[in-house]
Amino acid sequence: MTEAQLITSPEQLCSELDLRVSAASAVYILTDSEVAAHCLPVLLQKVPSLSKADIIEIEQGEYSKSIEIASHIWLHLLENHADRKSLLLNFGGGVVTDLGGFIGATYKRGIPYIHIPTSLLAMVDAAIGGKNGIDHGGIKNSIGTFSDPDTVLIDPSFLSTLPEKELRCGFAEMLKHSLITDAALWSETKRCRLQELSNRGSLIAKNISIKEKIVRTDPLERGNRQLLNFGHTIGHALESFFIENNTPMSHGEAVGYGMMVETLLSENCGSLNTAATAEILETLNLFFSRSAFVFPRFDALLPYLSNDKKNSEGKNRWVLLRNIGQAEAGVEISEESVEKIYTQWVSG
C-alpha cells in the first residue's frame, strides 16, 4: 500500500515531483476549474519542472465523475500518444482523485499516477487507500477499481484557499475517523476550529494514519475496512438522491447527516448509550445544519440503499457505534427500524 507523505515545505514538494517528472515520457495534470484558477498557479510556481505539463481541466463537482468525462480523458491521452511511462498528476479534491485514480488504473491497463489533494476531504480520505471510480446509473462510486497511486503528497498549505463549507466537508471524515477508532482524538477534533486546519498538520497526519492502518489490514474492503463507511450508508443515499434531483449535496454534508442518523440507529439498537448519543449529535449539529435542505421521505432513498456496496444477501449491513471510539461493521437492521429512526430524525 502507498503511504502518504506530509509536505512541510515548498522545497520538499519540488524535490518529490522533480524526481518523478524526470523519469516520465510526458506529464499530464488532471484538475478542476476551481483548483485550476486558485491552486494550479501556486503548484506551477513551486515546481518549475511542471511548466510543460499538459493540463486536463474538468468542471468542478460530482457530475464530472462520469463515464462521459472518463471517456473524454482517455481520448485526450490517446490523441496525445500518452504511453505507459506517462505520468498523471491528480491535483484537486475528492472528485479529481477518484476520477484520476480510475483513469490511471485503466488507461493502457495502468500508468503511473500521483495524487496531490487540495481539499481537506481528499487529504484525509478520498486520496488515501487506493479506492477510485466514477458514479453510474445514479449510484455513487458504482464503477471503479482498487489501485494505489505511486505516491500521495499532502500539502496542508493548500487548505488556506478553501472556503469554510469545503473545510466542513473534510472535517466530517475527521470526526468519523475519531468516532470509530479513538475517543481521545474525538475530544481533540471536536474542539478544533476549521480556520486552524491549514496549520494543523499533526491532526491531519493522525487522520491519515488511521485510514492507512485500517486499509493496510483490509485493502479490498472485505472486513475491517467497512468501519470507514460509518455515516456513509444513509450519506451516500442522500448524496445520490440530491444529485439525481439536480440539487447537489456535498459528500461531507451527506456524511455528516448520515452520521447523525446512524448514531441514532446505534442508540436504538442498544449499542450506544444516551449520553454518548447526545454528545455526538450536539457536535455534528454545530457543523451540519439541516435547515439547508428539505430531506426526502425514506421510500425515496430505498433505490439507493438497495445498491449500497456493503449489502449482503440482499440485506443492508450497517456500521454502528458501540461507544465513542469503538464501532462494529456488518450489523443487520430491519428496514422498518431504519425507516422509523430516519423519519424521526427528519421530523425532529
Side-chain angles (χ1 to χ4, degrees):
M1 190 193 101
T2 302
E3 293 191 357
Q5 299 183 58
L6 190 68
I7 300 299
T8 58
S9 70
E11 292 77 18
Q12 182 187 1
L13 182 64
C14 188
S15 174
E16 291 289 342
L17 286 174
D18 280 349
L19 183 66
R20 291 167 172 82
V21 167
S22 64
S25 59
V27 179
Y28 298 84
I29 300 177
L30 177 65
T31 192
D32 69 37
S33 51
E34 285 296 308
V35 175
H38 300 292
C39 298
L40 186 58
V42 177
L43 178 67
L44 297 178
Q45 183 179 26
K46 288 182 177 182
V47 190
S49 61
L50 294 177
S51 61
K52 295 183 179 179
D54 186 340
I55 311 300
I56 303 174
E57 185 178 321
I58 61 174
E59 287 300 312
Q60 184 190 39
E62 190 74 18
Y63 292 113
S64 287
K65 274 178 58 176
S66 68
I67 192 65
E68 292 79 14
I69 297 298
S71 180
H72 169 76
I73 297 169
W74 286 322
L75 184 59
H76 180 92
L77 294 173
L78 285 169
E79 290 177 343
N80 285 274
H81 308 291
D83 58 29
R84 295 182 74 179
K85 292 186 177 180
S86 297
L87 176 65
L88 178 63
L89 301 182
N90 300 314
F91 183 57
V95 168
V96 168
T97 58
D98 278 4
L99 175 63
F102 182 61
I103 297 296
T106 54
Y107 180 74
K108 293 189 181 292
R109 296 192 176 130
I111 62 173
Y113 66 95
I114 293 172
H115 292 329
I116 310 176
T118 58
S119 72
L120 182 61
L121 175 63
M123 289 182 187
V124 301
D125 184 56
I128 309 296
K131 286 170 69 174
N132 56 68
I134 58 174
D135 306 336
H136 193 61
I139 305 300
K140 186 174 169 66
N141 296 329
S142 54
I143 307 294
T145 69
F146 288 96
S147 170
D148 282 328
D150 282 27
T151 191
V152 182
L153 303 176
I154 308 289
D155 186 347
S157 68
F158 286 118
L159 296 179
S160 62
T161 67
L162 297 180
E164 187 172 297
K165 180 179 179 179
E166 286 298 316
L167 291 173
R168 280 201 304 273
C169 288
F171 199 64
E173 297 289 353
M174 294 173 67
L175 291 168
K176 178 202 73 180
H177 285 154
S178 63
L179 281 172
I180 64 173
T181 64
D182 191 331
L185 183 60
W186 163 259
S187 296
E188 179 184 2
T189 303
K190 72 175 188 174
R191 294 194 302 268
C192 182
R193 297 178 60 190
L194 296 177
Q195 297 81 1
E196 299 173 347
L197 286 167
S198 62
N199 297 313
R200 296 291 298 273
S202 62
L203 187 59
I204 291 170
K206 288 178 183 178
N207 279 267
I208 292 170
S209 178
I210 286 171
K211 181 157 189 184
E212 287 182 336
K213 183 178 180 180
I214 292 174
V215 170
R216 197 176 295 114
T217 62
D218 180 24
L220 299 182
E221 200 175 10
R222 291 171 177 163
N224 197 46
R225 186 170 181 169
Q226 293 181 25
L227 293 175
L228 293 167
N229 287 311
F230 175 64
H232 286 61
T233 301
I234 289 292
H236 276 168
L238 287 171
E239 188 177 1
S240 296
F241 171 85
F242 282 102
I243 288 172
E244 284 280 283
N245 286 274
N246 298 312
T247 53
M249 172 185 285
S250 73
H251 177 73
E253 289 171 317
V255 170
Y257 301 134
M259 287 192 291
M260 292 180 194
V261 176
E262 292 172 34
T263 294
L264 290 167
L265 281 173
S266 300
E267 181 189 31
N268 186 65
C269 292
S271 62
L272 187 67
N273 65 59
T274 302
T277 299
E279 179 182 338
I280 294 166
L281 293 178
E282 180 181 8
T283 300
L284 292 174
N285 277 304
L286 288 174
F287 295 99
F288 305 102
S289 169
R290 285 185 280 169
S291 63
F293 296 94
V294 177
F295 290 89
R297 289 169 48 91
F298 182 75
D299 56 9
L301 298 185
L302 284 175
Y304 309 106
L305 291 173
S306 66
N307 279 290
D308 189 87
K309 297 187 295 296
K310 298 182 297 303
N311 292 357
S312 176
E313 299 175 348
K315 298 178 180 179
N316 283 108
R317 307 290 176 173
W318 298 81
V319 179
L320 299 184
L321 296 178
R322 292 178 175 175
N323 205 338
I324 293 175
Q326 294 180 302
E328 178 183 5
V331 180
E332 183 181 336
I333 307 175
S334 71
E335 184 179 301
E336 293 76 18
S337 295
V338 177
E339 180 175 13
K340 175 185 174 183
I341 294 301
Y342 173 81
T343 302
Q344 288 176 352
W345 175 76
V346 169
S347 62

